[in-house]
Amino acid sequence: MTSRPYVLLSCAASIDGYIDDTTESHLLLSNDADFDRVDEVRAGCDAILVGATTIRKDNPRLLVRSQVRQDARTARGNSPTPVKVTITGHGDLDPAAKFFAAGDTGKIVYAASPALDKTRERVGAVASVADAGDPADLHRVLDDLHARGIGRLMVEGGGTMHTQFLAAGLADELHLVIAPFFVGDLRAPRFVSEGTFPWNPGHRARLAEVTQIEDVVLLRYALSDRYDGRGGAA
């Protein structure tokens, strides 16, 4: 029996692989129909994880938006929206960030051991803070999430988190949405950075689904033998 959650990575990128540009405003890569699909996928997960940089830069709230989906989760005995999770190496988190909004759902912050005390001081009043090891160890994080009852984890970025999960071979499924335009700026963040990945020319990832969603396309990859083919909420 596995000791870690099922891990689903979700990302939207430009044709040339960028997940944002270098302007101060957040670049919208998707469309309303795809945002609704993502909301459905969120509703079918037990927890959503983003990196600390994403919290600082994008200030996401990470909620299930649809009241119908919230009600369906509640009827199954779950919180209206999945538990929110982040990983920090330095503890530089603002307790006033939308991620920590009161009343949403549970929040878990995994801090690298050297930053554990600082993280507890800064956000211990608004989140559960756990030791992620030194340096932060994804295996340790996933083992702890499993022990907390998290069976399905959605990773929504940013690029550092996607790179680390993929390079460690800890992703079971990838949803990659391609926007119909280019960014063309080497300073902009990409879907992943440099790394050694299990999928390469000699070991190709399995493309499980291709779906056009208005002007974007969803590429769904099965990255492990745990791939379950589920759509959105159960």
Side-chain angles (χ1 to χ4, degrees):
M1 179 177 292
T2 182
S3 62
R4 70 169 177 84
Y6 185 94
V7 177
L8 185 158
L9 272 58
S10 177
C11 184
S14 63
I15 293 174
D16 49 347
Y18 292 96
I19 59 174
D20 205 349
D21 56 23
T22 56
T23 65
E24 292 186 2
S25 60
H26 181 62
L27 178 65
L28 292 180
L29 289 148
S30 196
N31 56 43
D32 287 345
D34 186 58
F35 289 141
D36 186 66
R37 177 196 64 82
V38 171
D39 194 63
E40 183 180 16
V41 176
R42 282 182 177 178
C45 294
D46 302 308
I48 303 170
L49 184 150
V50 295
T53 300
T54 297
I55 293 175
R56 288 190 293 269
K57 186 176 186 297
D58 297 338
N59 197 23
R61 192 160 182 179
L62 302 178
L63 300 179
V64 171
R65 303 291 182 181
S66 164
Q67 187 63 52
V68 171
R69 291 173 185 137
Q70 288 189 21
D71 292 344
R73 284 181 55 86
T74 302
R76 297 196 298 269
N78 300 321
S79 60
T81 202
V83 172
K84 295 189 280 191
V85 182
T86 191
I87 302 174
T88 178
H90 304 287
D92 296 325
L93 291 166
D94 182 356
K98 293 178 181 178
F99 179 93
F100 299 109
D104 285 352
T105 185
K107 298 98 179 172
I108 308 171
V109 178
Y110 290 96
S113 301
L116 192 60
D117 290 343
K118 176 182 177 180
T119 305
R120 283 179 173 150
E121 180 179 346
R122 292 183 67 91
V123 299
V126 292
S128 173
V129 178
D131 190 348
D134 184 20
D137 182 348
L138 290 183
H139 292 86
R140 181 169 176 167
V141 169
L142 292 176
D143 286 347
D144 187 73
L145 286 172
H146 180 266
R148 294 172 187 258
I150 301 301
R152 192 174 185 87
L153 175 68
M154 184 176 184
V155 179
E156 293 200 33
T160 298
M161 286 291 95
H162 285 143
T163 300
Q164 291 180 359
F165 273 93
L166 289 166
L170 293 173
D172 300 297
E173 181 174 348
L174 168 63
H175 293 186
L176 180 60
V177 167
I178 303 300
F181 57 80
F182 295 82
V183 171
D185 187 341
L186 291 176
R187 300 169 299 168
R190 301 185 68 90
F191 164 43
V192 294
S193 54
E194 292 184 7
T196 301
F197 302 99
W199 308 276
N200 53 56
H203 181 213
R204 298 160 75 101
R206 180 166 72 88
L207 180 61
E209 178 186 325
V210 180
T211 304
Q212 182 177 344
I213 306 172
E214 296 180 357
D215 66 344
V216 304
V217 62
L218 166 66
L219 305 176
R220 189 174 181 185
Y221 290 94
L223 300 182
S224 82
D225 58 8
R226 302 175 72 202
Y227 174 76
D228 59 17
R230 278 173 46 182

